[in-house]
């Protein structure tokens, strides 16, 4: 008798589950029919068809900024992990069209959302002056050990190219950091196109792949170059070391060269190194092309650098919205990381000063306030988000088309109580990403390229990648980059949390007004904060690679300009 009852209960439970799944499936089909589109091919093209960020010459041949011309990409088959969905009729929908969107602040049309700022005629001008000569007789070899993540290493390498020129050194292809937080074993040639790097700089600096065998046992001097040093320091103090040594090893590469007050030809060399010579490896560019193509299949998209990762939160000491256990975990990481000098940080003070990355929830409020509709495609340029899906839930509920390169098994979560539906999609399969797995620098390079090529780039924190991407986008024509005013936003978010403000037109108008002039329009690089001295003066300046104007951008003649301005 008891067994019969148990069987009946089991049958009822099974029937309920079937009905729940059926309801979820029907609801999902309805939701997806509004915004899901077939992704392009899963195959990575071979190296002969690699994706190249535009060079200066190519940039003059076409104007990326003209949104009136439709971007056309090769349509291919869906990737393996989405192939089972191809048979569903709602997946044949066309990409998002350029109709008007209704934002929180009223009717915001397509042009206002996606149109880049006026470039005011600024174009790249990085060719050397007529007085520039081929590299002088080499005084010796400069061996460089980079430090930090991809973009910290990348800008450091470009600085070392300029320093090698100043001190008449032969540059040995830099060693990438293998000891940082990410523990990446990648070599230079795994991340960058080594041969192109050497050849592209042939008229500027002699570059060799390895130190000559006969010098492998030579006496070397290891120097920690002083941060933010100028021409005199390198020409006189470092250059004089050739009298005793044939090899100089730079122990670190990040932020070793001044942002300002350097000869124009040295500044232009930094830009040639950064935007032309330091090209990513063919396999990375091929994979990046695939990711860009797949995002384009959805229409215009945002690249969101969501720097809400464990290492950043631990470094910055930001704990807003975290549990006590999570805050303690981050504190432990900070205490155990020897080269992070500041151990005790006032989390509330950090946040009030705008020194914390926005949380995923805050990013959702920010995007909604700017007027981006819920069906906006968003590429998440980031590593693993601290707190995972739970912390991403609010952003995902506002913007369901969240895409990232990382493969994850597709799941369908159905909660009848709240009626929340999610389809988690990733742009690449496990097989496609396998060559890059466990190599943080290579994975970050994929994010970098997609971010540079996105229609709108939004960083949640002004770290190394945010600055590097913004500078590259400025160099390529001032593509739209919205830099959140975190200090101003924190005050708004605080009032929303306390119930003093409610999301809507008032909040939207306030946030739009705050960011009206923070969308990547041309402006001169900011100098040091008044009153600062020494190394603090250097750190208070705007990064050279975050804004290469005026050194590497000139204003061409225009009928609309009263005078033709050429900034040198």
């Amino acid at each position: 008798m008891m067994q019969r009852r148990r069987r009946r209960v089991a049958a009822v439970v099974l029937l309920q589950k079937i009905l729940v799944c059926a309801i979820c499936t029907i609801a999902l089909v309805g939701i997806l029919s509004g915004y899901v589109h077939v992704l392009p091919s899963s195959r990575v093209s071979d190296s002969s068809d690699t994706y190249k960020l535009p060079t200066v010459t190519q940039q003059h041949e076409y104007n990326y900024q003209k949104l009136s011309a439709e971007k056309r990409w090769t349509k291919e088959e869906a990737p393996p992990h989405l192939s089972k969905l191809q048979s569903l009729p709602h997946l044949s929908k066309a990409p998002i069209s350029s109709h008007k969107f209704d934002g929180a602040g009223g009717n915001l049309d397509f042009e206002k959302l996606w149109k880049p700022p006026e470039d005011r005629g600024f174009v790249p001008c990085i060719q050397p002056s007529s007085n520039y000569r081929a590299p002088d007789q080499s005084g010796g070899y400069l061996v460089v050990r980079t430090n930090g993540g991809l973009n910290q290493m990348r800008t450091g390498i470009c600085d070392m190219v300029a320093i090698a020129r100043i001190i008449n050194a032969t540059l040995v292809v830099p060693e990438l950091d293998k000891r940082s937080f990410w523990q990446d074993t990648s070599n230079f040639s795994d991340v960058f196109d080594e041969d192109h790097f050497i050849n592209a700089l042939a008229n500027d600096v002699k570059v060799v792949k390895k130190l000559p065998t006969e010098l492998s046992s030579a006496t070397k001097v290891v120097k920690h170059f002083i941060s933010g040093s100028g021409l005199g320091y390198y020409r006189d103090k470092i250059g004089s070391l050739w009298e005793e040594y044939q090899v100089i090893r730079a122990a670190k590469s990040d932020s070793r060269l001044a942002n300002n007050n350097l000869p124009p030809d040295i500044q232009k060399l930094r830009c040639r190194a950064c935007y032309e010579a330091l090209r990513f490896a063919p396999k990375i560019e091929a994979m990046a092309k695939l990711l860009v193509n797949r995002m384009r299949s959805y229409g215009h998209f945002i690249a969101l650098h969501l720097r809400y990762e464990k290492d950043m939160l631990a470094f910055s000491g930001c704990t807003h919205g975290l549990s006590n256990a999570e805050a303690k975990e981050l504190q432990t990481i900070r205490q155990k990381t020897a080269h992070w000098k500041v151990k005790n940080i006032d989390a509330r003070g950090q946040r009030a000063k705008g020194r914390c990355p926005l949380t995923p929830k805050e990013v959702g409020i920010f995007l909604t306030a700017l007027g981006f509709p819920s069906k906006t495609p968003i590429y998440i340029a980031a590593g693993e988000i601290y707190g995972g899906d739970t912390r991403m839930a609010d952003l995902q509920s506002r913007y369901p088309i969240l895409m990232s390169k990382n493969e994850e098994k597709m799941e369908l979560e159905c909660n009848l109580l709240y009626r929340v539906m999610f389809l988690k999609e990733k742009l690449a399969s496990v097989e496609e990403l396998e060559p890059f797995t466990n190599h943080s620098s290579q994975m970050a390079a994929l994010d970098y390229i997609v971010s540079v090529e996105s229609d709108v780039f939004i960083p949640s924190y002004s770290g190394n990648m945010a600055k590097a991407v913004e500078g590259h986008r400025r160099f390529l024509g001032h593509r739209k980059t919205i830099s959140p005013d975190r200090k101003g936003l924190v005050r708004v978010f605080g009032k929303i949390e306390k119930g003093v403000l409610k999301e809507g037109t008032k909040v939207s108008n306030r946030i739009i007004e705050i960011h009206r002039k923070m969308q990547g329009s041309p402006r001169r690089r900011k100098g040091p904060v008044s009153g600062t001295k020494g190394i603090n003066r250097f750190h208070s300046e705007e990064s050279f690679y975050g804004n290469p104007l005026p050194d590497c951008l000139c204003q061409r003649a225009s009928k609309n300009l009263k005078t033709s301005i050429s900034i040198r």
Side-chain angles (χ1 to χ4, degrees):
M1 191 70 176
M2 186 65 68
Q3 290 181 347
R4 290 181 180 177
R5 288 181 179 176
R6 288 177 178 173
R7 289 174 183 170
R8 288 174 185 169
V9 171
V12 171
V13 172
L14 178 61
L15 181 60
Q16 287 177 336
K17 289 183 177 180
I18 294 174
L19 289 174
V20 167
C21 290
I23 293 171
C24 286
T25 302
I26 294 171
L28 180 64
V29 170
I31 292 174
L32 292 180
S33 63
Y35 61 74
V36 176
H37 179 63
V38 178
L39 293 178
S41 172
S42 62
R43 292 184 173 274
V44 179
S45 58
D46 58 33
S47 59
S48 63
D49 188 31
T50 55
Y51 185 81
K52 306 294 183 187
L53 289 173
T55 62
V56 176
T57 303
Q58 292 169 332
Q59 188 66 20
H60 286 297
E61 294 176 356
Y62 65 91
N63 187 352
Y64 174 93
Q65 306 291 357
K66 292 183 178 179
L67 295 179
S68 58
E70 279 291 322
K71 299 179 178 66
R72 301 186 182 277
W73 302 88
T74 303
K75 300 295 181 182
E76 304 173 23
E77 297 176 358
H81 60 293
L82 296 182
S83 60
K84 293 181 180 179
L85 295 179
Q86 284 193 29
S87 59
L88 296 179
H90 62 269
L91 290 179
S92 62
K93 298 291 182 181
I96 297 171
S97 58
S98 55
H99 56 73
K100 290 187 177 182
F101 295 135
D102 291 330
N107 291 328
L108 295 176
D109 60 29
F110 183 83
E111 287 292 322
K112 289 181 180 178
L113 282 173
W114 300 104
K115 185 179 180 180
E118 293 293 333
D119 62 20
R120 290 171 28 211
F122 281 100
V123 294
C125 55
I126 61 174
Q127 295 307 309
S129 68
S130 58
N131 297 324
Y132 194 77
R133 297 289 181 267
D136 293 335
Q137 180 68 33
S138 175
Y141 291 84
L142 176 62
V143 178
V144 177
R145 176 174 288 167
T146 61
N147 60 290
L150 172 70
N151 292 288
Q152 197 171 346
M153 292 191 291
R154 191 170 176 273
T155 55
I157 290 169
C158 297
D159 276 358
M160 290 299 149
V161 168
I163 291 169
R165 172 77 188 195
I166 294 171
I167 65 175
N168 296 326
T170 295
L171 178 66
V172 180
V173 168
E175 305 167 17
L176 299 192
D177 189 346
K178 297 180 173 63
R179 301 177 298 176
S180 66
F181 179 90
W182 300 272
Q183 298 291 304
D184 189 351
T185 60
S186 298
N187 293 316
F188 188 95
S189 59
D190 296 320
V191 181
F192 303 107
D193 188 331
E194 189 173 57
D195 291 332
H196 176 77
F197 180 72
I198 294 171
N199 295 332
L201 294 171
N203 295 325
D204 302 295
V205 174
K206 183 178 180 181
V207 183
V208 296
K209 293 185 179 181
K210 295 181 180 180
L211 194 66
T213 306
E214 62 270 19
L215 291 178
S216 59
S217 59
T219 304
K220 306 177 182 66
V221 59
V222 179
K223 293 290 292 183
H224 284 75
F225 297 158
I226 298 174
S227 295
S229 296
L231 184 70
Y233 170 80
Y234 287 107
R235 184 183 55 199
D236 301 332
K237 292 190 177 181
I238 303 302
S240 65
L241 294 175
W242 296 133
E243 296 174 7
E244 297 182 57
Y245 304 97
Q246 291 178 280
V247 180
I248 299 173
R249 173 181 281 276
K252 287 188 175 183
S253 65
D254 65 322
S255 304
R256 303 295 117 176
L257 192 59
N259 290 306
N260 306 305
N261 302 318
L262 290 171
D265 275 331
I266 294 298
Q267 297 289 57
K268 293 178 186 300
L269 172 57
R270 294 169 87 178
C271 286
R272 289 200 298 278
C274 189
Y275 305 126
E276 293 195 336
L278 204 57
R279 179 186 294 172
F280 289 113
K283 69 173 185 177
I284 291 175
E285 294 195 332
M287 188 68 227
K289 173 183 179 180
L290 199 62
L291 296 176
V292 171
N293 285 355
R294 288 177 179 173
M295 285 306 302
R296 285 270 175 252
S297 73
Y298 286 89
H300 293 84
F301 72 95
I302 293 172
L304 172 63
H305 183 43
L306 192 57
R307 196 67 169 94
Y308 204 78
E309 299 152 317
K310 183 182 290 186
D311 66 300
M312 173 48 63
L313 294 174
F315 173 75
S316 61
C318 298
T319 60
H320 179 77
L322 302 182
S323 66
N324 290 334
E326 289 173 325
K328 288 180 180 178
E329 180 186 23
L330 298 178
Q331 173 68 14
T332 300
I333 293 172
R334 188 163 62 252
Q335 294 293 338
K336 290 183 177 180
T337 307
H339 62 277
W340 291 353
K341 302 304 181 184
V342 181
K343 301 301 181 183
N344 297 311
I345 299 176
D346 177 8
R348 289 186 179 180
Q350 283 283 92
R351 180 172 166 79
K353 294 174 182 177
R355 295 176 181 174
C356 292
L358 300 180
T359 69
K361 180 178 180 179
E362 290 169 344
V363 170
I365 297 173
F366 178 62
L367 294 176
T368 301
L370 290 178
F372 287 100
S374 62
K375 57 184 167 183
T376 301
I378 300 176
Y379 177 87
I380 303 295
E384 183 178 353
I385 301 302
Y386 193 56
D389 290 348
T390 301
R391 195 140 285 129
M392 289 291 291
D394 190 87
L395 177 59
Q396 179 108 46
S397 68
R398 290 172 183 263
Y399 293 94
I401 314 181
L402 289 184
M403 311 296 289
S404 74
K405 62 187 178 301
N406 302 313
E407 166 67 6
E408 179 180 307
K409 182 179 179 181
M410 186 180 297
E411 298 178 15
L412 183 63
E413 299 177 5
C414 185
N415 186 322
L416 288 181
L417 180 60
Y418 298 104
R419 300 191 179 187
V420 178
M421 313 288 182
F422 295 116
L423 178 64
K424 300 177 182 178
E425 294 181 0
K426 306 301 170 183
L427 288 179
S429 68
V430 172
E431 292 76 17
E432 290 171 325
L433 287 175
E434 193 277 331
F436 314 99
T437 303
N438 299 323
H439 296 290
S440 60
S441 294
Q442 297 180 47
M443 295 289 267
L446 297 175
D447 283 344
Y448 181 91
I449 294 176
V450 178
S451 295
V452 170
E453 287 301 293
S454 64
D455 298 288
V456 175
F457 174 64
I458 300 177
S460 68
Y461 183 77
S462 56
N464 292 313
M465 177 168 171
K467 294 173 184 175
V469 171
E470 180 179 6
H472 205 150
R473 290 171 68 85
R474 286 180 178 278
F475 183 78
L476 293 175
H478 291 87
R479 299 174 178 180
K480 190 166 188 175
T481 300
I482 305 176
S483 300
D485 178 349
R486 295 188 305 281
K487 186 175 181 179
L489 288 173
V490 163
R491 291 194 288 267
V492 175
F493 295 150
K495 291 180 180 179
I496 292 175
E497 288 180 4
K498 295 176 182 177
V500 178
L501 278 177
K502 289 186 177 181
E503 288 189 67
T505 303
K506 185 176 181 180
V507 169
S508 180
N509 289 341
R510 181 177 299 185
I511 289 177
I512 289 173
E513 183 58 34
I514 291 174
H515 295 86
R516 193 172 300 280
K517 295 183 179 180
M518 302 177 70
Q519 303 194 22
S521 59
R523 60 171 177 76
R524 281 178 168 268
R525 188 169 59 256
K526 296 177 182 176
V529 174
S530 178
T532 55
K533 296 180 180 180
I535 192 64
N536 291 328
R537 180 179 175 83
F538 166 69
H539 288 304
S540 70
E541 296 175 334
E542 185 174 12
S543 164
F544 174 85
Y545 297 103
N547 184 5
L549 194 160
D551 311 273
C552 302
L553 294 168
C554 302
Q555 201 169 23
R556 61 191 171 195
S558 171
K559 295 179 180 179
N560 298 324
L561 296 175
K562 293 181 179 179
T563 58
S564 177
I565 303 173
S566 180
I567 302 176
R568 298 293 180 185

